[in-house]
Amino acid sequence: MFGEVIVPIDGSELAAHALEVGAVIAGVNHADLRVLAYTRGDDKPPLFLSVSDQVAEIARRFGIEPTLTMEPLERFVAGQVLAEAKARPGSLICMASHGRGRTAAYFGSVASEVLNLSAGPVVICGPQYVPGRFQLEQKGPIIVALDGTDESEKILPIAEAWSVVFDLPLEIVTVLPVETANELASAVASGDIVESGYVGTMASAAGELTARLADFEVLHDEHPAHAIVVEAKARNATLVAMATHAPTGLERLRRGSITAEVIRHATAPVLALRP
């Protein structure tokens, strides 16, 4: 699926979590693992020792030989990461997001910038990611979050492919506000509508493509990100997959990004796509 997995790191413990996830993905795909450490001139020696230890530990644990390169830190780090990916067609970016408060996702977050500018999906480990959670042997599902829009459904074929490659079940979810759910309850009771019709249809379509039975669930919550995070934790999900609408300007400041909120709070990695 991927010729190379690119993991940018900064020597932090959180970045090491993304390195662990990237190593698992690279191993399953028989892909090369390229580790990029971005440094300033005054911190290169200690940072080099830190990332060298992290990479050596990953090599020992997973029996692989990552490539480690040290890059000078420029102002637009996201651009540097994307340039590396562009130079290596068919590569996947796997990185950490520190998620420092609400503004971090909007102003200066490297992970957010990479996601918004990337031509393909990006795997992101947020600050609540639990080390070792990305365990393929446990067969936790890939939770695919849809909202009924064409944009959100762009992630579905990608999630389907991942479910086959990693041999993981799919669960497709959508979130309805409580008020809407109550209104639908009456219609469901009268037989006029099936609440789970949308996700059920999506699950059936996914099952036809992968020859696997996909689960589906309608979640009820005023806050979609919260519902998705809770469901992923309850189901011991291996991965959460979703597309972001990436609202801009005043809209973004007003309601933020649901994908960014999921990344910030999920204990599993998030496979995210900006259509």
Side-chain angles (χ1 to χ4, degrees):
M1 183 184 292
F2 307 109
E4 194 163 30
V5 178
I6 298 174
V7 183
I9 63 175
D10 59 7
S12 67
E13 182 179 355
L14 183 57
H17 297 166
L19 183 56
E20 174 188 82
V21 173
V24 173
I25 295 173
V28 172
N29 286 273
H30 304 288
D32 295 330
L33 180 63
R34 178 173 293 274
V35 184
L36 306 175
Y38 293 96
T39 69
R40 300 186 303 267
D42 57 349
D43 67 4
K44 186 173 181 178
L47 180 60
F48 180 79
L49 293 176
S50 174
V51 299
S52 293
D53 289 344
Q54 291 176 350
V55 172
E57 173 64 14
I58 287 296
R60 183 191 65 78
R61 286 175 55 195
F62 294 94
I64 59 178
E65 296 183 5
T67 299
L68 170 61
T69 60
M70 307 295 288
E71 300 287 344
L73 181 64
E74 298 177 2
R75 184 171 184 178
F76 187 40
V77 181
Q80 292 178 271
V81 175
L82 292 167
E84 291 283 348
K86 186 176 181 180
R88 296 169 175 81
S91 60
L92 172 75
I93 298 172
C94 178
M95 63 188 304
S97 173
H98 292 273
R100 297 186 183 94
R102 189 173 180 82
T103 58
Y106 309 148
F107 308 110
S109 168
V110 175
S112 178
E113 290 170 353
V114 168
L115 175 58
N116 287 338
L117 297 173
S118 176
V122 179
V123 175
I124 303 176
C125 295
Q128 299 303 316
Y129 170 73
V130 175
R133 182 67 181 268
F134 194 68
Q135 294 289 335
L136 304 182
E137 297 81 5
Q138 295 179 2
K139 301 301 179 186
I142 298 176
I143 302 289
V144 187
L146 305 180
D147 63 10
T149 64
D150 291 341
E151 289 86 353
S152 74
E153 293 169 13
K154 298 291 185 184
I155 193 64
L156 190 51
I158 298 172
E160 291 166 359
W162 280 56
S163 75
V164 172
V165 171
F166 294 103
D167 190 26
L168 296 172
L170 277 179
E171 178 181 332
I172 300 174
V173 304
T174 194
V175 185
L176 296 178
V178 175
E179 182 178 348
T180 302
N182 291 337
E183 293 174 354
L184 282 174
S186 298
V188 171
S190 65
D192 294 334
I193 190 172
V194 177
E195 182 191 50
S196 60
Y198 169 65
V199 285
T201 299
M202 293 293 102
S204 296
E208 291 176 1
L209 288 174
T210 62
R212 296 160 176 259
L213 183 64
D215 289 334
F216 58 91
E217 189 70 48
V218 178
L219 310 175
H220 302 142
D221 201 310
E222 297 299 329
H223 304 285
H226 176 262
I228 295 166
V229 168
V230 170
E231 178 70 6
K233 188 173 183 179
R235 298 279 283 123
N236 195 30
T238 301
L239 193 70
V240 177
M242 59 193 305
T244 176
H245 298 287
T248 58
L250 292 177
E251 181 185 8
R252 191 172 194 175
L253 292 173
R254 184 174 65 250
R255 68 179 182 85
S257 165
I258 293 173
T259 304
E261 286 294 318
V262 172
I263 291 171
R264 192 172 296 120
H265 298 289
T267 56
V270 177
L271 174 65
L273 173 72
R274 167 76 187 275

